[in-house]
Amino acid sequence: MTDQIKEGASAPTSKPASKEVGVKLKGEAKTARIPIKIVQLETKIKKPEWIRVQAASHNSRFYEIKQILREQKLHTVCEEATCPNIGECFGKGTATFMIMGDICTRRCPFCDVGHGRPNPLDENEPRHLGETIAALKLKYVVITSVDRDDLRDGGAAHFAECIQTTRQLSPETQIEVLVPDFRGRVELALETFKDALPDVMNHNLETAPRLYKQARPGSDYQHSLDLLKEFKRLYPAVSTKSGIMVGLGETDEEVFQVMADMRAHDIDMITIGQYLQPSNGHLPVLRYVHPDQFKVFEKHAYELGFKHAAVGAMVRSSYHADQQAHGAGV
């Protein structure tokens, strides 16, 4: 096997980065200019038998959700990030809505969301989102977003407006937000939420701090921890949540340390799932964690005092989010 990463020049690509607003770069075109070059394994690790992705459902509910999303010009992280659980979730009438467009200002090489210069915010999006949630009669929703480092508040005010509009149009719906890190703007961003509190505040650490430079360029591990701790200090009644992936090169000991760091920063809920490589332009999978080890992680999470732990190969941050929240007493 070759090394996963090398310092220096970016991986070559025939698709140079575009500076045009609204142009979305995917795969190798997206990751070509990250700080650490991606080098694929000479031989991919074979997926084990416990990695089973449910085929996309073709029932009426699946198509109903897709049609409503297109009509309302909404995006879901289920589609944009190529989530393996999309068939199950859409088939059951659940979705994680992705606001502020489908173009991210960062180039994280584990993520399948496109990169580029985003379009201006759609001022009608909060209304479209609220109307869609009400029309689908959803009891629990997750609202996430791309990173918007081009916005002064990182998009916090837009999140708040989406929460407020959803509360007005669908008052019985519980709301979880999966937010970006609002790089360098934490105080401004968290103040914005004071009149639009979600039921769950989620922000993912994604991986161990040692791997941030290659897996999460532009982000800071301690900053992400502090964001959740400060939110909890300001709004102690709101549950906090974070998640990580395994398979990027972390050790079990590093997973245990991240879990301990989360609890030290007052994080209530945790998700741990297996990283799956979206394309050859993304970081390779360096290990598939055995189900027995996931059980060890889960047991340790409850020993540390997490209110709820969703741990398993196919777990994603918003997968069965309603069950996670109810399990934590939200």
Side-chain angles (χ1 to χ4, degrees):
M1 294 183 182
T2 60
D3 291 336
Q4 177 192 7
I5 55 168
K6 290 183 180 179
E7 295 280 1
S10 301
T13 175
S14 59
K15 299 179 181 179
S18 174
K19 295 184 178 181
E20 294 181 34
V21 173
V23 174
K24 181 166 58 174
L25 303 177
K26 301 272 283 186
E28 291 183 2
K30 167 185 171 177
T31 60
R33 297 187 180 185
I34 58 176
I36 295 181
K37 174 182 172 182
I38 296 173
V39 179
Q40 298 300 329
L41 303 179
E42 292 178 359
T43 303
K44 284 187 177 182
I45 303 173
K46 185 179 179 180
K47 283 185 181 179
E49 53 88 18
W50 61 81
I51 299 292
R52 290 289 182 268
V53 178
Q54 182 173 329
S57 170
H58 295 286
N59 64 25
S60 60
R61 192 64 163 148
F62 181 86
Y63 288 116
E64 178 190 8
I65 289 178
K66 289 182 73 72
Q67 181 179 349
I68 290 176
L69 291 171
R70 299 296 83 79
E71 290 174 350
Q72 295 282 31
K73 299 179 181 179
L74 295 173
H75 303 279
T76 65
V77 74
C78 321
E79 296 171 291
E80 296 299 330
T82 320
C83 179
N85 301 310
I86 186 171
E88 178 183 355
C89 293
F90 272 27
K92 290 182 177 179
T94 63
T96 297
F97 297 95
M98 190 169 76
I99 61 174
M100 298 193 283
D102 61 348
I103 298 177
C104 187
T105 55
R106 300 192 195 176
R107 302 173 182 264
C108 297
F110 65 83
C111 179
D112 204 26
V113 174
H115 165 78
R117 293 183 62 189
N119 292 304
L121 292 180
D122 179 1
E123 62 181 17
N124 295 315
E125 184 173 55
R127 177 173 56 82
H128 289 160
L129 177 65
E131 289 173 349
T132 299
I133 291 170
L136 292 173
K137 297 181 173 60
L138 301 179
K139 295 181 179 180
Y140 194 100
V141 298
V142 180
I143 303 171
T144 189
S145 77
V146 291
D147 280 289
R148 290 297 300 259
D149 295 322
D150 58 314
L151 302 175
R152 179 172 176 268
D153 66 350
H158 199 75
F159 261 104
E161 189 174 353
C162 286
I163 293 171
Q164 290 170 331
T165 304
T166 299
R167 297 273 191 226
Q168 293 168 4
L169 298 178
S170 189
E172 300 302 316
T173 301
Q174 288 186 294
I175 301 172
E176 175 177 327
V177 292
L178 173 55
V179 300
D181 62 13
F182 307 118
R183 185 197 300 175
R185 311 173 180 97
V186 172
E187 185 175 343
L188 170 63
L190 297 189
E191 173 70 14
T192 304
F193 282 95
K194 67 179 181 180
D195 296 320
L197 290 177
D199 296 287
V200 175
M201 168 61 82
N202 187 355
H203 171 65
N204 285 334
L205 294 180
E206 305 293 8
T207 189
R210 177 177 61 85
L211 301 177
Y212 259 50
K213 188 175 182 181
Q214 69 222 47
R216 208 174 170 219
S219 303
D220 181 86
Y221 180 75
Q222 189 60 52
H223 174 81
S224 287
L225 284 169
D226 291 342
L227 168 70
L228 286 164
K229 185 172 184 177
E230 180 62 10
F231 186 92
K232 192 69 171 181
R233 184 188 70 80
L234 292 172
Y235 313 113
V238 179
S239 293
T240 51
K241 176 179 173 181
S242 190
I244 61 170
M245 303 167 289
V246 291
L248 288 170
E250 74 297 321
T251 65
D252 290 346
E253 290 71 24
E254 286 177 313
V255 174
F256 292 137
Q257 185 58 57
V258 171
M259 295 166 72
D261 292 342
M262 286 186 186
R263 287 301 300 131
H265 289 74
D266 300 325
I267 296 171
D268 298 310
M269 293 184 280
I270 185 173
T271 60
I272 304 176
Q274 173 69 53
Y275 168 65
L276 299 176
Q277 184 183 26
S279 78
N280 287 334
H282 292 80
L283 294 171
V285 176
L286 295 187
R287 67 164 174 164
Y288 287 101
V289 174
H290 193 275
D292 289 345
Q293 186 58 41
F294 276 117
K295 291 178 181 178
V296 171
F297 291 150
E298 182 180 22
K299 181 175 182 292
H300 189 64
Y302 285 113
E303 289 172 347
L304 287 173
F306 284 100
K307 293 180 179 178
H308 193 273
V311 182
M314 302 313 295
V315 167
R316 296 298 181 265
S317 184
S318 54
Y319 181 55
H320 291 174
D322 54 341
Q323 297 176 24
Q324 297 171 31
H326 297 158
V330 176

